[in-house]
Amino acid sequence: MESRRPENGETERRNERIEFLRWNSDRMGKRGRACVVVLGDLGRSPRMQYHALSLARQASLQVDIVAYGGSIPHEAVLKHPSIHIHTMAQPRFINLLPKILYPVTLLLKAFIQFTMLLWFLFVKVPAPNIFLVQNPPSVPTLIAVKWASSWRHAAFVVDWHNFGYTLLALSLGRNNVFVSLYRWFEKHYGKMATGSLCVTKAMQHELEQNWGVSARVLYDQPPEFFRPALLEERHELFCRVKKDLCHPIGVYDIISRELENQEPSETLFTTKRNDEISLKQNRPALVVSSTSWTPDENFGILLEAAVMYDRRVAAISEGSDTAEISEERQHLYPNLLFIITGKGPEKEMYEEKIKRLNLKHVAFRTMWLSAEDYPLLLGSADLGVCLHTSSSGLDLPMKVVDMFGCGLPVCSVSYSCIQELVKDGQNGLLFSSSSELADQLLILFKGFPGNCDALLSLKAGAMETGSSGRWATEWEDCAKPLITQAKSISSLCLYLTHILLLDYLS
């Protein structure tokens, strides 16, 4: 039996398909793109911004970022010519639904996010070599990115910041059916990744032992713009935020009184005379805490510690006759200004609590700073406080990494793996209760600003920690080999697919 010869029209169509595949194969082989996926506010996702910068600078890739808008990302991300941001619209109307429909709301929100992600990852974004996705959130992000990576023959890399199911369990409880289902999806699709990164050795062990996922540890490190601030930078920063400092949370406080009597050349912490800037000797101590105002950060601990410090300093300054306080009176204890940065659901609740405290030697201000001013604030502060406890107990607070980059010592809540970052007594102190934190504030600020040896010792340790590692170096050593390997696997699979198709059509 003779085989059928293709007609002229069929031959032309086949040749056109072959030429298209050859052109597409060449185009794909030359791809040098990465797609960074963040189902959240990009401006509040510093680690993924740093990933994007490293992919562009150190791996020489074109980088597409798919994320929600909101906060403004760092200027270096916005201005880099190889980084392209694709902003998704948030389904805000879902938040207006009554709380009784919460399970339905979760499903509806996930469906809308899933559909939107598919549109961006399948259609709007140019075909990449590699997808790099932040986890959590896991649903629907991991599913959408896995599908897109399969369709576009790209590698699929997960950066594990935490576990999504543990965050969901904070509001629903560990035994809730939605939490169990969420964990199944997170584990199932997490195992499908071409490669994985994670933030601690404790998380690496958990992923390997109980999830079947092999991950490389990429510790958070501060980028180059987190450093101690120069005197001139401090003065300019405090001039810019003077209006924010003038507005107390509810009550007229010690900081409001100090600002009232200032000259134009002064700030709360600095003074300028004949173009020469100096720190005030009678300045308050500046304590910074950055928070997302969520249930995994018990901000009440800090409020209780502030009240204890205030009462202790008031007792000393107002002339109590106990032997212990009489001995302490010879040492100066400063007024404290806590600047709390961040946005989140519990902010208004805690601001109402602050209004009712009636403190004499402690004041609070809440702020949201630009990506450029936030490092300057850390680099100008005297102490950082971290209340992050982790829903899984396996991740580390990036805010502490940033503080160390600025040479800022930290008092941090103690939990299972925090000592991978905070070395108690070297670069910071660990506490488990408000009374412990209050004691640490009294110890560290005794004799401030000139004779506080304990604080200066921790500051030296924080400076050493911050200078010992930077993001670019850590990324080069830990992430780049994984990215390069995943990219090579993706290119090989794509090449073989096209060879097979060409062979079939020929």
Side-chain angles (χ1 to χ4, degrees):
M1 184 177 178
E2 293 184 3
S3 60
R4 184 179 71 85
R5 292 184 178 181
E7 298 177 3
N8 288 339
E10 186 178 343
T11 301
E12 285 182 15
R13 286 192 296 273
R14 186 187 66 183
N15 290 337
E16 285 174 2
R17 288 196 296 270
I18 291 172
E19 285 304 311
F20 172 77
L21 280 169
R22 282 178 178 152
W23 170 82
N24 201 41
S25 180
D26 290 340
R27 182 176 68 88
M28 293 292 191
K30 294 175 183 175
R31 283 187 310 177
R33 294 195 88 91
C35 181
V36 176
V37 184
V38 183
L39 196 64
D41 184 341
L42 177 62
R44 298 171 67 185
S45 304
R47 181 174 167 105
M48 301 311 286
Q49 292 184 62
Y50 305 158
H51 268 305
L53 285 169
S54 291
L55 288 164
R57 292 171 175 173
Q58 295 168 252
S60 302
L61 298 175
Q62 293 290 317
V63 181
D64 297 289
I65 304 177
V66 176
Y68 287 137
S71 309
I72 300 173
H74 198 277
E75 190 177 7
V77 175
L78 295 174
K79 289 188 174 181
H80 199 289
S82 297
I83 297 177
H84 318 279
I85 299 175
H86 307 264
T87 304
M88 299 184 292
Q90 295 203 47
R92 296 186 185 280
F93 72 93
I94 292 176
N95 297 329
L96 302 176
L97 296 175
K99 289 185 178 180
I100 195 171
L101 298 176
Y102 186 66
V104 177
T105 302
L106 282 178
L107 293 173
L108 180 60
K109 184 177 181 180
F111 176 76
I112 293 172
Q113 290 173 331
F114 183 62
T115 305
M116 194 178 301
L117 276 171
L118 291 183
W119 166 250
F120 274 83
L121 302 183
F122 275 69
V123 180
K124 290 205 71 174
V125 174
N129 291 94
I130 186 167
F131 285 100
L132 175 62
V133 57
Q134 170 186 291
N135 183 76
S138 317
V139 178
T141 327
L142 296 185
I143 306 168
V145 176
K146 173 56 187 171
W147 287 15
S149 67
S150 298
W151 176 257
R152 309 195 85 167
H153 303 286
F156 167 38
V157 175
V158 180
D159 188 18
W160 297 82
H161 298 195
N162 199 349
F163 292 115
Y165 82 93
T166 62
L167 290 171
L168 186 63
L170 290 176
S171 55
L172 297 182
R174 288 267 179 158
N175 297 323
N176 186 278
V177 64
F178 281 101
V179 173
S180 300
L181 187 62
Y182 196 104
R183 186 182 187 279
W184 183 88
F185 274 107
E186 187 170 21
K187 182 176 181 179
H188 180 72
Y189 281 91
K191 288 168 68 174
M192 292 184 178
T194 314
S196 291
L197 298 165
C198 65
V199 294
T200 64
K201 290 180 180 177
M203 183 175 287
Q204 180 189 45
H205 182 265
E206 171 69 15
L207 284 168
E208 186 173 351
Q209 295 297 314
N210 299 320
W211 290 60
V213 173
S214 177
R216 294 190 183 200
V217 178
L218 174 64
Y219 280 120
D220 283 320
Q221 296 287 358
E224 66 279 1
F225 39 80
F226 281 92
R227 54 173 177 75
L230 303 174
L231 264 179
E232 184 178 358
E233 291 173 324
R234 295 186 190 193
H235 185 76
E236 291 173 357
L237 172 68
F238 295 133
C239 286
R240 284 197 297 275
V241 301
K242 187 178 282 189
K243 288 183 180 178
D244 296 308
L245 296 176
C246 285
H247 297 293
I249 303 175
V251 294
Y252 186 78
D253 56 26
I254 185 68
I255 298 302
S256 306
R257 286 195 292 275
E258 287 193 33
L259 288 169
E260 258 187 2
N261 303 317
Q262 276 187 0
E263 296 179 13
S265 61
E266 286 184 300
T267 73
L268 195 60
F269 304 94
T270 58
T271 184
K272 189 174 184 180
R273 295 283 185 272
N274 300 321
D275 294 330
E276 195 169 309
I277 299 169
S278 59
L279 287 170
K280 292 180 175 178
Q281 284 300 305
N282 62 342
R283 67 186 183 272
L286 177 55
V287 184
V288 176
S289 182
S290 121
T291 177
S292 54
W293 301 102
T294 51
D296 63 343
E297 293 183 323
N298 184 0
F299 195 74
I301 292 177
L302 180 56
L303 296 189
E304 291 170 8
V307 171
M308 293 176 192
Y309 178 92
D310 188 77
R311 288 175 180 170
R312 184 70 173 178
V313 173
I316 293 168
S317 62
E318 290 170 9
S320 174
D321 291 330
T322 67
E324 183 183 359
I325 289 179
S326 296
E327 184 181 344
E328 285 187 337
R329 196 174 297 135
Q330 60 184 308
H331 301 286
L332 295 177
Y333 285 91
N335 295 325
L336 299 187
L337 172 60
F338 288 92
I339 293 183
I340 316 300
T341 69
K343 298 177 181 177
E346 296 190 344
K347 181 181 177 182
E348 290 183 4
M349 178 188 77
Y350 279 112
E351 285 183 332
E352 287 299 318
K353 290 184 177 183
I354 291 170
K355 289 177 185 179
R356 299 192 293 268
L357 291 181
N358 192 27
L359 301 170
K360 296 179 180 179
H361 299 278
V362 176
F364 284 88
R365 298 292 185 271
T366 56
M367 292 184 186
W368 177 255
L369 295 165
S370 70
E372 287 68 45
D373 277 349
Y374 178 63
L376 291 178
L377 177 66
L378 296 186
S380 305
D382 300 298
L383 182 69
V385 173
C386 177
L387 301 165
H388 177 85
T389 54
S390 173
S391 60
S392 65
L394 298 172
D395 69 313
L396 295 173
M398 192 164 187
K399 65 196 79 175
V400 173
V401 175
D402 295 338
M403 290 172 181
F404 287 159
C406 295
L408 184 64
V410 175
C411 291
S412 175
V413 172
S414 180
Y415 63 93
S416 57
C417 68
I418 189 63
Q419 292 193 30
E420 287 190 39
L421 178 61
V422 180
K423 311 300 181 185
D424 195 25
Q426 296 180 28
N427 53 19
L429 297 175
L430 300 176
F431 61 88
S432 300
S433 65
S434 55
S435 60
E436 279 188 72
L437 176 57
D439 289 341
Q440 290 171 1
L441 294 174
L442 287 162
I443 292 168
L444 295 176
F445 289 119
K446 186 177 183 179
F448 182 87
N451 299 308
C452 44
D453 293 342
L455 181 63
L456 293 175
S457 175
L458 290 184
K459 187 171 182 64
M463 290 283 287
E464 185 179 348
T465 301
S467 61
S468 64
R470 288 288 165 170
W471 172 266
T473 306
E474 186 81 5
W475 196 91
E476 188 79 22
D477 293 341
C478 302
K480 189 176 180 180
L482 177 65
I483 297 296
T484 303
Q485 182 184 33
K487 182 173 174 287
S488 300
I489 292 171
S490 166
S491 298
L492 178 61
C493 291
L494 187 64
Y495 176 75
L496 291 174
T497 301
H498 280 74
I499 290 296
L500 289 171
L501 282 169
L502 283 169
D503 184 61
Y504 173 75
L505 290 173
S506 299

